[in-house]
Amino acid sequence: MTPLQCAKEIADFLRKEIAQDQEGVQAIFVDKPPETEEIRVFVGFLPRASTNAEKKKFCPAIVVRPESVSDTDDGSSVKLLFSATTYDEDKESGYISLYNLLEWIRFKLLSNSPIGERWDLRSSLETAVPDEQPFPQWWGYLEGSFVLPQPHKIYWRNLGGR
């Protein structure tokens, strides 16, 4: 549950930051305000949409989900994937809001670690925007590893065994 708990709490943090940073959020959409009133934040996956009208309804959005967990002698970490999506029918510059949104997320994560005084960013963030885009939706993602509480060995004798 801890990797998903980490994703949920960081998603809550992003929601709070969106609510408190209206000036910064509006700067993401310099040329065109988003169709929706705020950036939506989901945990897990973006709801599936089959039409452009449905896609537009979910944008702009950030999706936070655990991608993988690593357990080593030095500690445990969860790699979180932060997917971002915007909707813009402009074929020439519709991607700009996506890049601005990705940069806003990057800035918030790097400048507030540990998030909630609990989730420490272990390493750098990697940002990518794939060539293939589901136009008129634009998407990209960030990946980063966060420190998890280390599981401890529980021996049978500690549970009352002999």
Side-chain angles (χ1 to χ4, degrees), residues 10 13 108-121 146:
I10 292 177
F13 161 79
K108 293 299 179 179
L109 294 175
L110 290 173
S111 63
N112 288 288
S113 184
I115 294 172
E117 298 179 10
R118 181 177 177 136
W119 306 110
D120 196 17
L121 183 60
F146 292 82

Side-chain angles (χ1 to χ4, degrees), residues 66-128:
E67 188 174 44
S68 63
V69 176
S70 297
D71 296 307
T72 67
D73 290 340
D74 295 331
S76 298
S77 65
V78 59
K79 184 186 287 185
L80 293 183
L81 181 70
F82 298 86
S83 295
T85 183
T86 59
Y87 186 98
D88 195 322
E89 295 178 1
D90 185 340
K91 292 180 180 178
E92 290 184 26
S93 60
Y95 64 90
I96 294 172
S97 293
L98 170 65
Y99 277 90
N100 290 341
L101 179 55
L102 289 167
E103 179 59 20
W104 183 90
I105 296 166
R106 188 181 77 81
F107 177 81
K108 293 299 179 179
L109 294 175
L110 290 173
S111 63
N112 288 288
S113 184
I115 294 172
E117 298 179 10
R118 181 177 177 136
W119 306 110
D120 196 17
L121 183 60
R122 175 167 269 178
S123 60
S124 61
L125 291 168
E126 291 188 31
T127 305

Side-chain angles (χ1 to χ4, degrees), residues 147-158:
V147 177
L148 287 177
Q150 179 79 23
H152 296 285
K153 294 179 181 176
I154 299 174
Y155 293 99
W156 179 250
R157 68 177 177 271
N158 292 345

Side-chain angles (χ1 to χ4, degrees), residues 3-15 40-46 61-67 78-84 105 109 115 142 144 146:
L4 190 55
Q5 179 182 4
C6 177
K8 286 179 179 181
E9 290 181 18
I10 292 177
D12 289 342
F13 161 79
L14 290 173
R15 285 185 196 101
R40 299 168 187 248
V41 181
F42 298 92
V43 175
F45 295 88
L46 189 66
I62 300 167
V63 181
V64 184
R65 73 176 173 88
E67 188 174 44
V78 59
K79 184 186 287 185
L80 293 183
L81 181 70
F82 298 86
S83 295
I105 296 166
L109 294 175
I115 294 172
L142 296 102
F146 292 82

Side-chain angles (χ1 to χ4, degrees), residues 28-29 32-42 46-47 49 51-63 83-89 94 97-98 101 133-140:
I28 293 170
F29 307 98
K32 303 172 195 168
E35 296 288 329
T36 58
E37 293 185 13
E38 68 180 57
I39 299 168
R40 299 168 187 248
V41 181
F42 298 92
L46 189 66
T51 67
N52 284 347
E54 289 174 334
K55 289 178 184 179
K56 193 176 204 178
K57 181 176 80 171
F58 294 120
C59 293
I62 300 167
V63 181
S83 295
T85 183
T86 59
Y87 186 98
D88 195 322
E89 295 178 1
S97 293
L98 170 65
L101 179 55
Q133 293 290 317
F135 182 82
Q137 210 172 358
W138 302 88
W139 82 280

